[in-house]
Each structure stands twice: as C-alpha cells, then as structure tokens.
Amino acid sequence: MTRQEQRSGGYTENIVVPDTDLALIDRYRNEPGPLLPILHAFHNRDGFIGPAAIEAIGKELRIPLADLYGTVTFYHHFAREDGGLQRPRVCTGPVCRQRGALEIVESLDGAEEMPCSGRCDDPVPILIGHETFVVSPPLHTLQRRISSPLPVPNPGGREECVFAEIRQPERECLDGYRRSGGYDALTQAVQGQTPTDIIDVLKESKLAGRGGAGFPTGMKWQFVREAPRAPKSIVCNADEGEPGCFKDRALMDHDPFAVIEGMTLAGYATGADRGFLYLRYEYPETNARLEEAIEAAEEAGLLGENILGSGFTFNLYLRRGAGAYICGEEGSLLNSLEGKHPFPRNRPPFPTTHGFDNLPTAVNNVETLCAVPQILRRGAEWYQGLGLGDHAGTKVISLSGDVQRPGNYEVPFGLPLRTLLYDWAGGPLPGRSFQAATMAGLSGGFLAGEALETVTLDEPSVRGAGSMLGAGGIIIFDDSRDIVDAARQAMEFFAHESCGKCFPCRIGTQRLLERLSGGGPDELDAWRREISDIGDVLELSACGLGVAAGFVSDSLLRNFPEQVAEFRDEQRRIVGGGGDWL
C-alpha cells in the first residue's frame, strides 16, 4: 500500500511513494542518522538519484525539497543522471597527475575527473560503479583492486604500534585477529577494569589524535564521560580525503577489527552505547570488508548487546560518505551524519558536549583508535618508549610521489625526515634529486631546501619550518617537476572543495587560483603582496581548508622565489606585458 496522505507541515501534496521506495526508506528510517544510507540505497538500486527519489525521501523524512536537493548535489559521487553510477571516475590528484592521469581521462570514453581518491601508493585508480581499478598509461587493461597494498616491511627495524601485527596471516579475519592478540584489551577492560582505568592509561601514554589536530585522546574521552547528557556517541573519522594520505585505508583493509575494537573500548570508557564509522566514498572494497567485520564481531558477541557477558552494550553503524573533502572536518562530518548540509560548525561548543544530535560525542581518527588496543595490552610506558628523545609514540606516514619506495611507514616521532626519505624509502628516482615535499598531504604546504635535511617528524619541528605534520601525508616532488604548477593544482583542489560557507575561503581560494594561473598585477612585488594579503584573509576561514590554501601559496613564495620569478616572466611574454590580467 502506498502512502498518499498529506503530512502535517509537509512541503508538497499528492506525492505517491511506491512500495519499493518505501521499503528502502523503512530499512533505515528508525536508525540514527538515516539519510546517508537511504540515499545510497536509492543510488545503488537505480544507478542515480533522480527527482522522484528526492521527492519520496523528502516526504518520508520530512525534509524540505530545496534542503534535500542542496545536500544531494553537494556530494561529488551522487549521480543525478541515469547510468551515472557506472561512469568511470579517474583520480586526478597530485600524485596521479605525475603518473599521467589526465591522459587516462582523455583515453576512456565518458570518463570524469575526481579529486584524490586515496591510492597515492597505487596510482592511477579508477572507480566504475562500486569497483576500483588501477591503470598506468599508455592505457591497456584495467586491473581490479580488492584491497590496499600491505604496509611496507619495517625497514628501520623499529618496534611498531598499529602495524605491529598487521602483516600476520589472516589478520583481517576475526580468528586471525584474535590469534595475534586481538580483543585481549576489550576482554580485560569489560571483565576487570573501570572506564576511569582505561582513560588514565591513555592519558599516561600521551596518545593524541592522529588525524591532524593532535588533541590528547584520554582527555577527550574524559570530557565525554563527564558530560551529563545521553545517549553518547563514538564517531570514527575515516573520511581520509587529504591528497597524499592513504594510511587509514591500509589499516581498515588489513586490520579492520583493530578499529572496531578501538571504537568499542572508546564506548566502554566514555559511556557511549553507539558508534558511527564514517567512511569515505572512494573506498568501496573497504566498505564491504568493514561490513563483514562488523557482522562477524556481532555474531561473536563482541558488538551489540551484553558484550562478552558484561552487560555493556555498543552498537556500531557504518556510514559511507558520498565524496566531499570538507567532511573530513569533524563539524562537517557530524552534520553529514545527521543528514544536514555538511558545513563546518562553529566552535565552541565542541563535540565532546555537543556532537552527534547535539549530544556528547568523541570523534577520533582510524589510526588513533587502532592504537588504543595495543596501548591497553602493552601499557602506557611501552607506548611512550616508542618515540625518540622526549617524543612519545609513533606516527604512520603515507609517503608518495617521486620516491623509490612509496607506501605507509610507521615511524617513531622524532625520526629525521632525511632518514625516512633516503634510508627507508630509497631516495629519489634514478638521476633525480628531491626538490620539495608537501606536508600534511597538501595542507602543510611545501618544505624545501635545508628543511628536507634538518626537519624531524614531529609537530614542533615541522611547524618550526613553517609547515605542519597533520595527518602524516608526504608527497615528494623531484627536480623534474614544475613547482609553481604543482601549487596551482593544489589551489585548484582547495577552490573546488571549498564548501562555500564563509567568504574568506569561498572567494580567497578562487583568487589564489587565478593568481597562480597567471592573473594579478603585472609587477612581481605587487603580485607577491597580493598573494600574501589573500593568505592573511584566509586565516579567518571557518575551518582549516582556507588556512591550508594559504600555507600552499605562502610556502611557494618563501621557498621558490626563482621559480616564481621565472613563471611571471613567462606570463609576461605570453600576454605581451603590462596591465592587470584578472
């Protein structure tokens, strides 16, 4: 039977919702945060989301049509034309452009560009439907990719944390995970430790957020536990949209139960009874693996009601994004989960008191959560001792670009960048030399010159060189690359991904893109001042995207004055000199 009645306060009349549509909606209607899974259900069934689907969803969830349309069109990957889901989407991120991605787009019928899709260690990825393929030019055959490459062997022989057992046989299966120590920490926690015990160990370990913000994990969990309202939530930020970052994908592909156990421990420590794992759209195979892992944990009594007979309940919901870099920002992610337009939120208040559904929420990164079971098994002192000097713990670095051995490396904090680049990753490609490295994916801008020799991999050292370590993505550019064009490509990405909420970022990224494309005052010093002034305004942005764009342009001017001057000279020759161009 169809539902034709006019709802009180509805925005339209006489909409008949077919039974088949109602079945998709009813499957998720009573779950928290139902909009994203409902949109994906229609997208998967029809291959696109058309006007009839939007009207049906809007009526049943009582969302105004304009709001719902604005949300659907905000995401890159929700096709709105028949057959759109099956159109090839080719990654044209910075590393894939180094490998000929634009030529691949031209070679494939109907292909579209997509921003960096998190396979910088295995370029060039192509999404077709819900399958990932990889190809290198010249275009011959597409090779299917089921999972990520395993993390590279430990070249430094250092003791690891999140990679300690990841290479063990069948680690991605529940039996294999438990054979190598998996769920020992959860068992010990629910059978003999208090939530305060767990929080105290994490505070002593000095574990901090590994997604870029670096906030102390134990303190965050304590804030959520002490917050008075309920229900409380744990959110895993697995949106990993920063170009050059692909560590979380490797962890979830090869160690999915580690992040699930970490989230469950977070629930026990904070008093949360529900969790959301927000996964970026471009990881369809990872999505399938996580679905299987969650089901296996539930069947084994390790998720859901009365975990391990302890009376503790924790339900975990997998939520797949739809393609938007801004959803890696925690406020945007929470709004996306709630079915709202994914704009960043103003802070304060912070998620620890006003998160999902405006209730206490702990938002943590995949790497952070994977470290928790290891720390609880081995102790705070063990984890502190993994770092060098006064630094505690480790960091996974995603290294890609013009280097001999790209991949994921778990390094001790304080390791010299030179050691990673030359001793562990094999140095530059034959006949080349390193010119620059972008830090924090793209968000930290360029390191160059002496900094490549002297910086150590820890936040104080990297910030002292005018950049930031962030989530740990490092893209290498050798001396064959046009560094001004690399900066322009980065700005093209930031301008494309700006959510448009605040004018410093919405306008500023576009103006910087125009300047790096040749526009602006003819005189070099005036052009440089204008770029610097725009960067100052970008610091007023509502989130880190605008700030990151300023890092890129400022570091270009600071580190590469000769290349910048040559670029401007070439532009003068092209246009004949004189006048403002844009």
Side-chain angles (χ1 to χ4, degrees):
M1 184 160 226
T2 58
R3 298 178 192 164
Q4 304 180 48
E5 73 274 12
Q6 169 67 24
R7 291 185 179 274
S8 173
Y11 61 89
T12 188
E13 297 181 6
N14 301 320
I15 291 179
V16 177
V17 181
D19 288 343
T20 52
D21 290 358
L22 287 174
L24 290 183
I25 295 169
D26 287 343
R27 179 179 176 185
Y28 301 101
R29 183 195 300 272
N30 295 319
E31 288 189 1
L35 180 60
L36 271 179
I38 289 173
L39 289 173
H40 278 294
F42 277 85
H43 195 238
N44 295 341
R45 185 193 68 182
D46 301 335
F48 72 112
I49 298 177
I54 291 178
E55 286 196 346
I57 296 167
K59 177 180 180 182
E60 291 301 313
L61 297 187
R62 306 182 73 174
I63 302 174
L65 185 61
D67 287 353
L68 182 55
Y69 183 79
T71 298
V72 170
T73 56
F74 184 86
Y75 296 104
H76 305 323
H77 290 293
F78 280 143
R80 299 186 299 281
E81 296 179 357
D82 193 6
L85 177 61
Q86 293 300 321
R87 289 175 65 88
R89 286 149 288 166
V90 181
C91 176
T92 54
V95 175
C96 289
R97 289 199 186 198
Q98 292 178 355
R99 303 297 185 268
L102 295 178
E103 291 85 347
I104 293 173
V105 174
E106 295 176 357
S107 302
L108 280 175
D109 287 341
E112 300 174 346
E113 296 184 30
M114 67 176 170
C116 180
S117 62
R119 283 189 174 269
C120 311
D121 55 339
D122 192 22
V124 173
I126 301 171
L127 278 181
I128 303 177
H130 296 301
E131 295 181 312
T132 303
F133 300 85
V134 171
V135 65
S136 298
L139 187 61
H140 294 298
T141 59
L142 303 180
Q143 297 180 329
R144 177 83 193 280
R145 287 294 190 264
I146 304 299
S147 63
S148 311
L150 268 169
V152 295
N154 183 350
R158 303 281 311 185
E159 189 170 9
E160 298 170 309
C161 177
V162 297
F163 286 171
E165 282 88 30
I166 200 171
R167 307 176 192 89
Q168 294 294 323
E170 299 183 324
R171 177 73 176 183
E172 75 280 4
C173 303
L174 181 56
D175 288 344
Y177 181 70
R178 300 192 80 168
R179 280 199 304 271
S180 49
Y183 281 108
D184 288 356
L186 180 63
T187 302
Q188 176 180 313
V190 300
Q191 293 182 355
Q193 291 180 305
T194 67
T196 301
D197 292 336
I198 294 172
I199 290 172
D200 286 346
V201 171
L202 292 182
K203 289 168 69 175
E204 184 182 351
S205 75
K206 300 183 180 179
L207 175 68
R210 296 294 183 249
F215 192 84
T217 304
M219 187 177 297
K220 178 182 290 188
W221 290 12
Q222 181 177 334
F223 290 160
V224 175
R225 179 154 193 87
E226 293 174 349
R229 297 176 302 140
K232 300 174 182 179
S233 301
I234 304 300
V235 173
C236 174
N237 183 348
D239 194 58
E240 194 173 45
E242 183 70 43
C245 291
F246 45 90
K247 63 185 177 65
D248 293 345
R249 188 194 79 235
L251 287 165
M252 292 182 289
D253 278 357
H254 298 290
D255 211 0
F257 292 97
V259 66
I260 294 172
E261 184 181 10
M263 292 185 71
T264 310
L265 284 161
Y268 180 72
T270 61
D273 61 5
R274 62 186 182 184
F276 302 91
L277 201 163
Y278 189 102
L279 178 70
R280 69 177 302 186
Y281 180 91
E282 293 85 354
Y283 293 170
E285 292 80 11
T286 306
N287 187 79
R289 179 153 293 182
L290 288 169
E291 287 179 337
E292 295 172 359
I294 290 170
E295 182 178 355
E298 290 172 342
E299 291 177 354
L302 298 164
L303 267 180
E305 305 290 326
N306 193 27
I307 292 173
L308 294 172
S310 65
F312 165 55
T313 293
F314 187 74
N315 294 301
L316 181 55
Y317 302 93
L318 181 59
R319 292 290 183 259
R320 189 181 182 193
Y325 170 74
I326 197 65
C327 287
E329 192 275 335
E330 64 180 10
S332 301
L333 186 153
L334 291 169
N335 281 337
S336 179
L337 274 177
E338 293 177 9
K340 299 174 183 175
H341 199 80
F343 281 148
R345 296 180 176 182
N346 294 328
R347 295 181 297 180
F350 294 94
T352 50
T353 56
H354 295 77
F356 181 77
D357 280 348
N358 215 32
L359 293 165
T361 302
V363 183
N364 290 113
N365 170 264
V366 171
E367 184 185 349
T368 309
L369 291 162
C370 287
V372 168
Q374 297 282 21
I375 292 171
L376 294 179
R377 282 175 56 207
R378 302 165 186 257
E381 186 176 349
W382 166 82
Y383 184 73
Q384 285 192 44
L386 297 181
L388 298 178
D390 295 332
H391 302 290
T394 64
K395 179 76 189 76
V396 178
I397 300 295
S398 295
L399 182 64
S400 61
D402 297 323
V403 67
Q404 295 268 12
R405 292 192 290 272
N408 284 303
Y409 295 83
E410 185 170 5
V411 307
F413 274 116
L415 184 79
L417 174 60
R418 178 182 173 83
T419 300
L420 172 63
L421 295 182
Y422 288 92
D423 299 345
W424 293 23
L429 300 175
R432 314 280 9 154
S433 60
F434 292 143
Q435 178 180 193
T438 60
M439 307 298 289
L442 292 177
S443 292
F446 297 103
L447 282 186
E450 184 180 354
L452 295 177
E453 302 291 325
T454 60
V455 157
T456 56
L457 292 168
D458 54 83
E459 203 65 59
S461 178
V462 177
R463 285 194 179 272
S467 184
M468 59 183 176
L469 185 58
I474 299 178
I475 305 174
I476 300 298
F477 297 84
D478 67 24
D479 57 348
S480 70
R481 305 297 177 184
D482 182 340
I483 208 69
V484 178
D485 189 59
R488 183 198 60 77
Q489 291 176 27
M491 205 59 60
E492 183 179 46
F493 170 81
F494 286 124
H496 181 266
E497 294 297 327
S498 175
C499 73
K501 177 182 179 180
C502 66
F503 79 86
C505 177
R506 182 177 69 243
I507 300 173
T509 53
Q510 291 290 340
R511 296 293 86 85
L512 285 180
L513 176 59
E514 292 166 1
R515 301 305 177 262
L516 294 175
S517 299
D522 180 65
E523 199 270 322
L524 178 60
D525 286 343
W527 184 82
R528 291 172 59 97
R529 284 196 302 272
E530 194 167 85
I531 287 180
S532 180
D533 289 345
I534 295 171
D536 290 342
V537 174
L538 281 165
E539 292 184 5
L540 304 175
S541 299
C543 75
L545 188 154
V547 178
F551 268 139
V552 171
S553 56
D554 287 348
S555 63
L556 173 71
L557 298 181
R558 182 174 64 251
N559 293 315
F560 299 100
E562 294 180 359
Q563 289 91 326
V564 167
E566 291 172 2
F567 166 74
R568 296 300 293 171
D569 287 343
E570 178 65 21
Q571 292 300 312
R572 289 192 191 93
R573 287 192 290 271
I574 291 173
V575 302
D580 290 353
W581 305 329
L582 287 173

